[in-house]
């Protein structure tokens, strides 16, 4: 049975090391640390990509863009998100909304949240009001609190496109 609404959850985490800037949601956030990964290590875009793919019942980001493929080395995560969402759309699904959380002890993301929301909306070609974003600290606890890692989670709600009525004129 095909249901009109589908929910997906995406999570990602990356180790941090000295360097910078920190890419979050397609935005370069000034910071003295950077995320380490095979692609550009954008933890938020990876979580969004997996949430969308999961809601659609498609392969996850690691299957579509494996780190064993040299073509994915340093790859722009916005490009991966765009390609993944094209697959979602080709399956007749469209985004209702995203609700995202980034966990990082530093930097404070308050000044970057609107730019990140607009960047994600631009990649997906949706209204920025469809993108929810919250930032949390690790409260000094665990890998996030010790500034060893950054984490992101995203919930995606998709709806089935209404059937198209053929024009017989």
């Amino acid at each position: 049975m095909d249901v009109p609404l589908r929910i997906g959850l995406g999570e990602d985490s990356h180790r941090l090391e000295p360097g910078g800037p920190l890419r979050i949601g397609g935005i370069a956030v000034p910071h003295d640390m950077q995320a380490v990964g095979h692609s550009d290590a954008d933890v938020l875009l990876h979580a969004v990509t997996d949430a969308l793919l999961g809601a659609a019942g498609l392969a996850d980001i690691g299957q579509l863009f494996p780190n064993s493929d040299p073509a994915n080395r340093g790859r722009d995560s916005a490009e991966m998100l765009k390609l993944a969402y094209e697959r979602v759309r080709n399956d007749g699904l469209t985004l209702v909304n995203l609700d995202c959380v980034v966990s990082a002890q530093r930097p404070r993301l308050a000044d970057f949240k609107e730019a990140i929301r607009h960047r994600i909306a631009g990649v997906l070609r949706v209204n920025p009001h469809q993108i929810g974003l919250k930032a949390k600290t690790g409260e000094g606890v665990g890998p996030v609190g010790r500034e060893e890692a950054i984490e992101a989670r995203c919930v995606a709600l998709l709806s089935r496109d209404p059937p198209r009525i053929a024009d017989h004129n």
Side-chain angles (χ1 to χ4, degrees), residues 40-146:
D40 66 3
D42 190 320
V43 68
L44 180 55
L45 292 188
H46 293 177
V48 170
T49 300
D50 261 348
L52 291 169
L53 291 168
L58 298 171
D60 67 24
I61 192 172
Q63 292 171 296
L64 291 180
F65 308 103
N67 63 10
S68 58
D69 184 346
N72 295 322
R73 186 84 179 132
R75 190 168 193 173
D76 182 354
S77 295
E79 177 188 340
M80 293 189 286
L81 174 57
K82 182 180 177 186
L83 292 170
Y85 191 55
E86 284 176 9
R87 288 178 178 237
V88 169
R89 294 290 297 138
N90 287 340
D91 273 8
L93 295 162
T94 190
L95 180 67
V96 174
N97 75 299
L98 299 174
D99 190 22
C100 308
V101 179
V102 175
S103 297
Q105 190 65 32
R106 291 184 314 118
R108 292 189 52 81
L109 298 179
D111 293 340
F112 302 96
K113 286 168 56 175
E114 285 304 304
I116 292 169
R117 287 179 57 241
H118 279 80
R119 175 67 176 132
I120 293 170
V123 171
L124 298 175
R125 295 187 167 159
V126 300
N127 189 307
H129 295 293
Q130 292 172 263
I131 313 298
L133 177 61
K134 296 173 284 296
K136 305 292 180 185
T137 69
E139 298 292 331
V141 177
V144 170
R146 291 188 302 269

